[in-house]
Structures are given as C-alpha cells and as structure tokens.
Amino acid sequence: MTTDWNTDPEPSDPNANSDGTPDSSAFLSALRLSDSFLPVGGYTASYGLEQYINEDRIEDGDDLRALIAAYLRRVVGPCETVALANAHAASAAGELEALLAVDERLHAVTMPREFRESSTKAGAKLCELLAETDTDDVDAESSDGSDADGTDLETAFADAVAADETPGHYPVAFGVVAQARGLSRREACLAHAHSFVTGLLGAAQRLGRFGHTEIQSVLADLESVIAAVCERHVDDEPAAMVSFAPLAEIMGMRHERAGRRLFMS
C-alpha cells in the first residue's frame, strides 16, 4: 500500500487552542528538542569539524560559515531532513514498517563509521530519555485518543531500537518524537537543523578557535540557509535520501585515527 504523505499541505494545527491560536506545548517541545541542554550526547560530536581544525583547514569565521553551510546543503538537507520528514509522516500514519525502512535507508547512506555511531547513540538516548521523562504526558495523550498513533509508534520504535531491530538514527527518532508532541514536519525539520548548526558551532567554540560574538554572527548568517534547506527537502520521498560531502566524510574517517581528539566524531 502506498501512502501519499508528502503532498499533505498540513492545513490546520490539531493542537491549536479553541480560538485558533497555536498551542504553546508544541513550541516549547521544539525549544526543548533543539536545545543543546538535551542530554543525548550531541556535545560529544563534531562530525569531522575537529579534524578540519586540526589540519588548519578552518582559519576564520568565513571558513566556518562556508563549511557549515555546505553541511546543511549536502548532508543535513538531502539526507537527514529527508529522513526526519518521512519519519514524521510515518509516525503520523502509524506505519512502523515504513518508519523502519527510513531508518535503514539513512544508515545505508551514512558512510563514516563515526557519523553512524554518533547518530545511533544519540537516537537511542533520545528514546530512552523521553521514555523516562515523558511517560505521564504520553499516557495522557493516549488515554483520550488525541495522539494515539504517534505515541504508540514512538513506543514501538523505541522498543525496536532497544532490541537492535533497527539502527535508531537520531533524525528518525527526532521525527517520531516531534510528531507525537505536535510539531509539524517543517517545524521538526527546522528545529533539528538549528540544533545541528548550534552543535557544530558549540564544538568550534570549545576547540578554542572562536569567541561568542563570532559564533553568534555565523549563526545569524546561517538562518536563511537553514530555512531554505528545510523548505527544499521537507517533501522529498525516502528514495531521494542521499549524502554527498566527500571531504567531510574523509575528515570524519581521518578523525577515527587522530592522535588528539576532544570529540567522538
């Protein structure tokens, strides 16, 4: 059976208040999921950025801005955003088999071992964290039937990850939990891309090359790229999922054998 997920214009917000204003819970969930304070291990990943700096390939804010923009256009957009958006759609439709297929596809197109490990560890941790902290909220949503499909699938996906039946990549887990908490596909994609960018900028700062002001300047400049990338790829089919960033992948592979490492990837 083929489900036409990606042509849905998301006409109305099912979580809106009676007067039509958005429910603040979805917005607060987006802030929570995109915050570096979320303890899923993102602070341990630089996705090859550390190796770029170790090899003196990044000298100033312009270099950093260009590198992260390339990540967004070559990896986050056509790969992780596609996975997240389709995971969100599968969650909304209650299609576990389709969700697992998205996870397997993302695993197949993520080449560097460190990148795969960082993503799957963060995905498993997100599932574990929300199972421990959001039980009451999920039970309340399920009891009145308002979000039964999303919460049921979230539990099923978490169980599959725990049983090693699926890799459990972070963008896929993110899409599932975002849908269950009322975020639209675009909101979920924007939150994830923003989180990815702030994670890399935080890594660059901790590596001692950039100060707070320069980091904020780069972040402000990248907002338009985040928005454009998410808009371009939010409606892509799973088969379109692809990553093409050869130098970034090489940096990630070199990082595996680097003698000096602050980050896991």
Side-chain angles (χ1 to χ4, degrees):
M1 182 180 71
T2 300
T3 303
D4 187 7
W5 297 322
N6 294 326
T7 57
D8 181 5
E10 302 174 335
S12 61
D13 182 0
N15 299 297
N17 296 317
S18 58
D19 62 358
T21 59
D23 187 345
S24 59
S25 63
F27 177 67
L28 292 173
S29 291
L31 294 178
R32 178 189 180 196
L33 291 171
S34 62
D35 196 335
S36 60
F37 186 68
L38 190 71
V40 295
Y43 63 90
T44 67
S46 80
Y47 290 95
L49 177 64
E50 182 173 22
Q51 195 63 23
Y52 276 96
I53 291 178
N54 286 345
E55 296 187 13
D56 295 320
R57 293 175 178 267
I58 297 177
E59 297 182 355
D60 54 28
D62 289 339
D63 290 342
L64 182 62
R65 183 182 298 105
L67 175 63
I68 298 179
Y71 266 108
L72 287 167
R73 295 185 178 112
R74 298 292 189 89
V75 180
V76 176
C79 188
E80 296 189 358
T81 296
V82 177
L84 192 157
N86 281 280
H88 185 289
S91 179
E95 295 281 352
L96 179 60
E97 184 177 345
L99 176 64
L100 299 185
V102 170
D103 199 28
E104 288 292 342
R105 172 77 180 185
L106 180 56
H107 196 69
V109 301
T110 303
M111 299 303 293
R113 181 179 61 85
E114 281 193 342
F115 292 6
R116 290 197 302 270
E117 289 183 357
S118 293
S119 181
T120 55
K121 286 180 179 178
K125 186 60 181 177
L126 181 62
C127 292
E128 294 171 5
L129 174 69
L130 296 182
E132 293 177 5
T133 61
D134 291 22
T135 303
D136 292 340
D137 291 340
V138 169
D139 289 344
E141 290 170 347
S142 300
S143 64
D144 64 7
S146 61
D147 195 31
D149 288 342
T151 53
D152 288 350
L153 199 72
E154 181 180 336
T155 300
F157 180 70
D159 290 344
V161 173
D164 290 329
E165 296 171 357
T166 192
H169 280 276
Y170 187 68
V172 177
F174 196 105
V176 173
V177 303
Q179 187 279 327
R181 284 154 185 78
L183 277 70
S184 71
R185 279 181 297 164
R186 280 180 178 79
E187 290 167 341
C189 292
L190 288 167
H192 172 263
H194 174 81
S195 177
F196 181 88
V197 169
T198 56
L200 286 189
L201 291 176
Q205 186 173 332
R206 277 179 282 157
L207 287 165
R209 296 294 183 90
F210 301 92
H212 291 280
T213 301
E214 191 168 19
I215 288 293
Q216 286 299 314
S217 177
V218 173
L219 178 58
D221 289 343
L222 289 171
E223 285 182 0
S224 61
V225 183
I226 292 172
V229 162
C230 290
E231 184 67 26
R232 177 177 178 180
H233 295 287
V234 67
D235 293 325
D236 286 355
E237 297 287 344
M241 196 188 309
V242 65
S243 174
F244 185 75
L247 184 56
E249 293 177 349
I250 289 170
M251 291 296 105
M253 293 171 185
R254 287 181 181 174
H255 188 265
E256 294 179 19
R257 297 169 176 79
R260 181 184 63 189
R261 298 198 307 177
L262 177 63
F263 293 92
M264 185 176 76
S265 70

